[in-house]
Amino acid sequence: MTSDPRPHTQPPAAAPAVREDDWRRAADLLRDADEVALICHVTPDGDALGSMLGLGMALRRAGKRVVASFGDRHFAVPRLLRFLPGQELLVEPAAYPAEPGLMVSFDVPTIDRLGLLTPNAGKAKELIVVDHHPSNTGFGTVPIVDPSAASTSMLVEQLLARLGYEVDRDIATCLYTGLVTDTGSFKHSSTTAAVHEMAARLVATGLRTDEIARELWDRSPFCYLKLLGAVLGRVTLDERAAGGLGMVWTYVTRADRAAYCLPYEECEGIIDVIRRTDEPDIAVVLKEDDEGSWQVSTRSKGGADVGRACTALGGGGHVRAAGFTSHDSPEETIAKLSALLGPST
Ligand code: AMP
Ligand code: MN
Ligand code: MN
C-alpha cells in the first residue's frame, strides 16, 4: 500500500478547469429554456445515464419540456441500469429533435460518441457539454469539462446548485450511481475527499446505497457464470507486453453470448474480474458487439496511460480506464495496443 502523506486540510485547489463564465452561461441557458434535449454517450454506463436523468428530472420539475436519449442502433437501457428513476424522459433516437434549440451532452468526450444522434448535435443552436474525460475534444458551445472530477455527475451536482434546484432522493439516486460506478465503488484513485463529501450529501436524501450496489454489481442471470467460465478459460497473461509492464487479456465473441443467450451489456463487468490479476499493470477485454465490431475495454494500475493509447486508436478515456473500437482480430488488436503502451513518464 502506498499513500501520499497529506496535511489534514486540503491545499487550495488548482485553477478551476471550468471558467466561471461558462458555468454562468450554462445555468442561464437552462434557466431560460422551455425545452431541453439531453443526450449521453452510446452504450450508456451509470455515469452517462445517471447524470442525464438526474439533471433531466430537475429540469422537468422546474416546468421544462425535457427529452433524453442516446444514439444506439438497438435502443435499450442496459439491464443493470433499469432501476434508475427518470426513464420516462427517454425517447427513441428517431423521436429526438432534429435541430434542438438547447442540447446538453453528458459524459461524452468526442462528438461521434453520440452515435446516431451525432448530426442532431451538429445542428443544435446551443450545446452544453458536461464531461470529465481528459480526452474531451472541446466540441459544443459551452464547455463544462473538468478532468479532475471523478464523474460527470459531480459536475451535474454543481450545475444543480447554481440553478438552485433541489436534489431529491430520485435525483440523488441518479447522481450517486454516476459517482459510485465511475469510482469503482469508491476504490479508484479518483476517490477524493470531495467524492465522499458529495456521497454524504446524496445519502442524506434517504437513498438506499445497499439496493443500488446490489442492482449494479451483485446480481446476474445464472448463464452469466457459464459465460464467465468460458471467457476466463481463455485468458492470457503476457508479462513482457507493453515494454515489460505486462498485460492480461481475454475476449468474448458474439457466438459466446448467443450460446448463453446474453446481450452485449452483460459483458461490461468482465473487465473487473480480469483487472484484479496481480502480475500485470494492464488488463484488456475485447467484446464483440452485435454488429461484429470489437469494443475494447482497457485498464491500468497506473504504470501505463491507457487513455493516450486508446485515443491514438480512435477511442478515448482516462489514464487508468479507457476504450476504443477495433475491426481487427483480438490478437492483432492486442499487438497494436501493446506496441502503443509502455511505462508512462
Ligand atoms: P469501458 O471500458 O467501456 O468501461 O470504458 C472505460 C472508459 O473509456 C470510459 O471513460 C469510456 O467513456 C471510455 N471509452 C470506452 N470506449 C470508448 C470509445 N470507443 N471511444 C471513446 N471512449 C471510450
Ligand atoms: Mn461513461
Ligand atoms: Mn464518466
Side-chain angles (χ1 to χ4, degrees):
M1 292 283 292
T2 57
S3 68
D4 289 347
R6 288 262 163 81
H8 178 247
T9 312
Q10 296 275 325
V18 181
R19 290 172 35 211
E20 186 54 37
D21 262 9
D22 288 323
W23 277 120
R24 211 171 298 134
R25 189 152 161 64
D28 288 347
L29 283 168
L30 288 166
R31 204 178 286 113
D32 295 345
D34 295 322
E35 198 167 297
V36 189
L38 310 180
I39 181 97
C40 68
H41 64 70
V42 289
T43 55
D45 52 28
D47 191 31
L49 200 58
S51 296
M52 177 168 79
L53 296 178
L55 186 67
M57 280 189 285
L59 291 169
R60 187 189 46 188
R61 218 154 286 164
K64 296 160 198 312
R65 285 189 301 279
V66 180
V67 290
S69 192
F70 43 91
D72 283 273
R73 212 166 292 281
H74 304 288
F75 179 79
V77 172
R79 180 183 66 81
L80 298 184
L81 298 175
R82 289 200 193 130
F83 72 95
L84 284 178
Q87 290 183 43
E88 62 283 357
L89 300 173
L90 293 173
V91 299
E92 300 237 354
Y96 201 80
E99 298 180 20
L102 176 58
M103 195 163 165
V104 190
S105 73
F106 299 86
D107 209 37
V108 179
T110 56
I111 196 162
D112 61 298
R113 293 276 286 159
L114 297 178
L116 293 178
L117 293 170
T118 305
N120 309 54
K123 292 199 180 120
K125 197 153 160 275
E126 297 281 358
L127 173 55
I128 302 171
V129 172
V130 190
D131 186 31
H132 68 131
H133 289 93
S135 56
N136 187 286
T137 54
F139 69 97
T141 59
V142 186
I144 305 294
V145 179
D146 182 356
S148 74
S151 67
T152 292
S153 71
M154 289 188 89
L155 301 171
V156 171
E157 194 208 25
Q158 287 187 46
L159 198 49
L160 289 171
R162 282 171 182 266
L163 285 161
Y165 292 168
E166 186 208 345
V167 175
D168 65 10
R169 191 174 63 172
D170 281 351
I171 295 171
T173 296
C174 287
L175 302 187
Y176 181 86
T177 296
L179 195 62
V180 77
T181 50
D182 270 24
T183 58
S185 312
F186 307 117
K187 285 187 294 194
H188 298 163
S189 61
S190 57
T191 311
T192 56
V195 166
H196 285 296
E197 282 158 8
M198 174 170 162
R201 285 190 295 278
L202 298 176
V203 170
T205 66
L207 59 76
R208 289 290 302 269
T209 55
D210 56 338
E211 286 175 6
I212 295 173
R214 176 158 175 80
E215 291 291 343
L216 290 171
W217 293 294
D218 290 347
R219 48 175 299 200
S220 52
F222 176 69
C223 48
Y224 176 72
L225 296 184
K226 307 291 278 180
L227 177 89
L228 203 52
V231 170
L232 293 181
R234 62 170 85 108
V235 69
T236 301
L237 172 64
D238 179 355
E239 294 194 61
R240 283 175 313 179
L245 287 172
M247 183 187 285
V248 59
W249 65 278
T250 189
Y251 60 93
V252 196
T253 66
R254 267 189 291 189
D256 293 326
R257 290 193 287 107
Y260 297 111
C261 297
L262 287 168
Y264 172 82
E265 72 207 44
E266 295 288 346
C267 303
E268 303 283 14
I270 296 174
I271 187 68
D272 288 319
V273 181
I274 301 301
R275 74 180 173 82
R276 58 184 294 153
T277 314
D278 274 338
E279 291 84 350
D281 183 67
I282 301 154
V284 183
V285 175
L286 303 99
K287 300 161 288 183
E288 190 181 14
D289 64 21
D290 292 334
E291 277 78 42
S293 305
W294 291 93
Q295 303 301 332
V296 187
S297 285
T298 66
R299 299 290 185 270
S300 133
K301 294 187 190 129
D305 182 346
V306 288
R308 199 164 48 189
C310 290
T311 302
L313 291 168
H318 311 272
V319 172
R320 291 167 183 246
F324 63 100
T325 303
S326 171
H327 302 284
D328 300 323
S329 71
E331 290 75 14
E332 286 164 341
T333 304
I334 289 294
K336 278 187 192 168
L337 187 59
S338 181
L340 281 168
L341 284 167
S344 57
T345 45

